[in-house]
Amino acid sequence: MNKLIENIDFLSPADTDVNENIRISLDQNTGKSRKLYIESYGCQMNFSDSEIVASILQKEGFDTTSDINEADLVFLNTCSIREKAEQTVRHRLTHINGLKKKKPELVVGVLGCMAERLKTKLLEEEKIVDLVAGPDAYRDLPQLIGQVDEGDKAVNTFLSREETYADISPVRLNSNGVSAFISIMRGCDNMCSFCVVPFTRGRERSRDPQSIVGEATDLFHRGFREVTLLGQNVDSYKWSEVENNKARLEKKEVDSIVNFANLLELVAKVSPDLRVRFSTSHPKDITDEVLYTIAKYENICDYIHLPAQSGNSRILEMMNRGYTREWYLQRVAKIREILGKDCGLSSDMITGFCSENEDEHRDTLSLMELVGYDYSYMFHYSERPGTLAAKKFKDDVPLEVKKRRLDEIIKMQSRLSLSRNLLDIGKIQKVLIEGTSKKSSDYLQGRNSANKVVVFPGENKKKGEYVHVLIESCTGGTLIGKQV
Ligand code: SAH
Ligand code: SF4
Ligand code: F3S
């Protein structure tokens, strides 16, 4: 019989809400003269950008530190996705103000999406800030810091159509030494009506596939065993020699286009022992070619993060998502057909979007149930200045209603996660070990192909190795088993 362990407590959900995600730089001691403390908020893209920032500044005489009190330079790499994300940063700046009073020479910079959204306004609103740099301006940081050193304030929020930081090899700040993130594109051209990202990150552009494969190969040689390819909409990845390198093309006869399926294949071929993941897929753009490529390579993980946002077609249309409920369900059916029932599926959901009624909310609940998500990131709608929704629609669902609906979808997801995990009991799964379990050093922790956390007694194995685990029990967030 299926065994369910409810109160074993080494177990946390596979991931946390984007809201609560904060990353702090690690200690680096290469004898540099100044110390950079960098705190990152928001999505994986931002965490990945902080690694680019650290790399750029390393060359300029900065080591990173995890202790803000030791820092000469404090950077907050910020997120604007919801109002709460910006409030968190403003509170943090108030705290840092206290530090600056004791250490007036401390340089305080705001990077990322909030910097891009507010630009020079940030300098007026937050007096403590010396430097403001948007996501495409990081190469300019040494110059901007120089300006601050001269006693001026410094701002660069120029958005580029080309910048991909392709040649910069990121300093891995938050790595377990096993998994790493690789940015494959920047920006977003989708204009979902609720979303601030197209305004803060600019136009979509893809990175040269050779530099992506090069980075993956280098990581593999350094002992990494998993890469996650990152983009706001990975399915629209497209690299064309014609558009991107006219000079090189003169020597070539044909235009070669690399799409996302081709890129996945290129990265998968780096080594069969390198796992490949990716995020985020878009329901309107994910192709059968991508699904067949995932099926073809054992090392491309069977897990797709496919945000639905809502289960109701009228709301989806207002959100400008470019698909209906039926289209979404048909894509999920195709995923199940090509990749099988065990393929991990997760989503993002927004409750209480403008004019959403109870029936439409129930459509979201029923979509979740029909799909049977393994996991979801769930939010209530937060109006963002300047977005299409802020201009066109009234944010008219009362906060209590948004929160109650959020609560209902969270409860639904907990139920679904548990029932999906129960289906794994009795199966033998290949797990990549990421380290010891956070709650018990006798246990190792890793992930299966579907991205679920698996915990098992660690006998003579270490991180970075693959093991086969027989799943014997579970909670809603974790599978528990033994090596076979
Ligand atoms: N590119 C990804 C999403 C990036 S933002 C995609 O298209 O799915 C991450 C998630 O934040 C979104 O999927 C959405 O669920 C949520 N989000 C974005 N804007 C929001 C807003 N204004 N209020 C609440 N949640 C929002
Ligand atoms: Fe935002 Fe939509 Fe682009 Fe995702 S696809 S980043 S939700 S505009
Ligand atoms: Fe936030 Fe910008 Fe990412 S708004 S979610 S940090 S792209």
Side-chain angles (χ1 to χ4, degrees):
M1 249 334 276
N2 287 349
K3 208 168 30 156
L4 163 67
I5 299 187
E6 278 283 25
N7 50 9
I8 203 162
D9 75 352
F10 30 57
L11 320 163
S12 51
D15 279 292
T16 51
D17 178 324
V18 150
N19 265 329
E20 273 95 54
N21 254 343
I22 300 171
R23 298 274 176 94
I24 290 164
S25 51
L26 291 180
D27 293 301
Q28 232 185 357
N29 254 317
T30 61
K32 300 272 176 0
S33 56
R34 292 168 92 184
K35 293 253 178 215
L36 161 69
Y37 171 90
I38 181 163
E39 213 167 83
S40 318
Y41 296 80
C43 65
Q44 209 46 253
M45 279 285 202
N46 244 19
F47 302 151
S48 187
D49 279 3
S50 290
E51 301 184 328
I52 288 170
V53 168
S55 172
I56 291 171
L57 291 185
Q58 199 176 43
K59 294 189 186 78
E60 299 291 319
F62 287 91
D63 274 339
T64 55
T65 172
S66 61
D67 180 2
I68 194 167
N69 297 305
E70 293 201 321
D72 304 291
L73 180 57
V74 171
F75 277 169
L76 302 185
N77 193 1
T78 60
C79 174
S80 290
I81 202 81
R82 285 166 290 274
E83 197 183 347
K84 195 177 146 206
E86 292 200 358
Q87 278 166 1
T88 309
V89 168
R90 293 196 192 264
H91 286 143
R92 200 62 188 129
L93 285 170
T94 317
H95 171 78
I96 295 167
N97 202 10
L99 296 178
K100 193 159 172 158
K101 283 203 178 106
K102 284 183 239 149
K103 192 174 179 181
E105 70 280 12
L106 185 69
V107 175
V108 179
V110 176
L111 315 181
C113 291
M114 202 174 157
E116 190 61 51
R117 195 177 83 72
L118 293 166
K119 303 187 170 60
T120 48
K121 247 203 284 179
L122 203 51
L123 291 180
E124 292 154 27
E125 291 172 12
E126 303 286 346
K127 296 280 178 264
I128 170 195
V129 175
D130 303 300
L131 182 157
V132 176
D136 288 343
Y138 300 148
R139 280 182 208 270
D140 195 29
L141 281 171
Q143 192 273 123
L144 296 171
I145 294 167
Q147 240 173 285
V148 176
D149 287 342
E150 298 288 307
D152 295 325
K153 299 257 174 180
V155 182
N156 185 345
T157 52
F158 175 75
L159 281 174
S160 159
R161 277 176 172 257
E162 287 97 33
E163 181 63 273
T164 59
Y165 301 108
D167 57 314
I168 294 177
S169 162
V171 171
R172 303 287 163 186
L173 292 175
N174 289 291
S175 174
N176 55 10
V178 178
S179 344
F181 292 87
I182 302 182
S183 279
I184 61 162
M185 57 207 294
R186 299 181 71 82
C188 184
D189 282 352
N190 273 324
M191 287 296 189
C192 302
S193 63
F194 52 80
C195 185
V196 78
V197 172
F199 304 95
T200 62
R201 295 254 156 190
R203 298 304 297 271
E204 181 183 287
R205 65 221 98 121
S206 296
R207 176 177 168 191
D208 183 341
Q210 279 179 13
S211 76
I212 296 168
V213 172
E215 192 172 329
T217 310
D218 176 56
L219 285 163
F220 184 74
H221 290 319
R222 284 161 51 199
F224 285 82
R225 289 295 173 265
E226 181 176 270
V227 294
T228 303
L229 309 180
L230 286 181
Q232 294 297 352
N233 176 2
V234 291
D235 299 295
S236 60
Y237 176 88
K238 187 170 150 239
W239 174 267
S240 145
E241 287 289 338
V242 173
E243 283 162 34
N244 292 293
N245 200 339
K246 295 210 171 65
R248 226 192 303 164
L249 185 75
E250 280 161 23
K251 297 185 205 97
K252 281 194 174 180
E253 305 262 294
V254 281
D255 170 22
S256 56
I257 288 183
V258 178
N259 66 17
F260 183 57
N262 307 142
L263 179 72
L264 266 181
E265 180 148 31
L266 289 171
V267 179
K269 282 180 174 162
V270 166
S271 164
D273 287 331
L274 182 70
R275 271 190 171 177
V276 185
R277 297 187 185 278
F278 52 90
S279 189
T280 304
S281 303
H282 199 299
K284 78 174 161 58
D285 295 322
I286 187 166
T287 61
D288 291 354
E289 191 191 0
V290 164
L291 302 179
Y292 285 118
T293 308
I294 300 170
K296 184 172 162 194
Y297 290 90
E298 192 269 336
N299 58 326
I300 304 180
C301 290
D302 290 342
Y303 165 65
I304 300 176
H305 181 55
L306 194 69
Q309 312 297 357
S310 164
N312 175 269
S313 295
R314 185 185 76 91
I315 296 293
L316 286 169
E317 165 134 40
M318 283 174 71
M319 287 177 162
N320 201 23
R321 287 288 289 179
Y323 54 87
T324 59
R325 173 188 176 93
E326 291 68 34
W327 170 275
Y328 187 92
L329 287 171
Q330 174 260 323
R331 291 322 294 155
V332 170
K334 203 74 194 175
I335 292 169
R336 298 279 184 231
E337 178 195 318
I338 299 174
L339 297 171
K341 292 202 164 41
D342 285 349
C343 178
L345 264 176
S346 60
S347 185
D348 293 347
M349 292 293 184
I350 299 177
T351 62
F353 186 65
C354 313
S355 80
E356 182 193 66
N357 64 34
E358 288 302 321
D359 280 346
E360 291 163 337
H361 164 60
R362 277 192 289 274
D363 282 345
T364 297
L365 290 165
S366 78
L367 180 97
M368 292 173 75
E369 204 159 22
L370 278 170
V371 175
Y373 292 113
D374 296 275
Y375 192 77
S376 290
Y377 299 84
M378 295 156 283
F379 316 98
H380 62 71
Y381 174 58
S382 162
E383 185 178 85
R384 307 309 295 131
T387 54
L388 291 179
K391 286 183 194 152
K392 276 181 22 197
F393 310 126
K394 235 172 109 193
D395 179 14
D396 55 0
V397 177
L399 185 61
E400 318 84 74
V401 176
K402 286 179 179 171
K403 284 189 173 164
R404 194 250 307 144
R405 289 181 189 167
L406 178 61
D407 207 48
E408 287 174 15
I409 67 167
I410 290 174
K411 289 209 175 84
M412 167 65 82
Q413 185 54 56
S414 307
R415 190 159 71 71
L416 294 174
S417 297
L418 181 59
S419 59
R420 286 283 297 170
N421 283 355
L422 284 168
L423 293 176
D424 286 332
I425 293 178
K427 290 181 185 158
I428 293 172
Q429 299 183 332
K430 188 173 171 184
V431 173
L432 172 61
I433 303 173
E434 292 173 5
T436 47
S437 161
K438 283 172 204 121
K439 297 280 167 71
S440 163
S441 57
D442 297 337
Y443 283 77
L444 291 172
Q445 174 175 316
R447 273 164 214 264
N448 67 12
S449 180
N451 205 36
K452 292 184 188 174
V453 174
V454 181
V455 175
F456 55 96
E459 287 140 16
N460 315 320
K461 292 285 173 191
K462 52 182 194 303
K463 69 177 184 177
E465 291 182 341
Y466 289 98
V467 284
H468 283 90
V469 176
L470 169 67
I471 307 302
E472 295 179 310
S473 58
C474 72
T475 69
T478 311
L479 303 174
I480 304 135
K482 64 169 188 222
Q483 280 182 65
V484 288

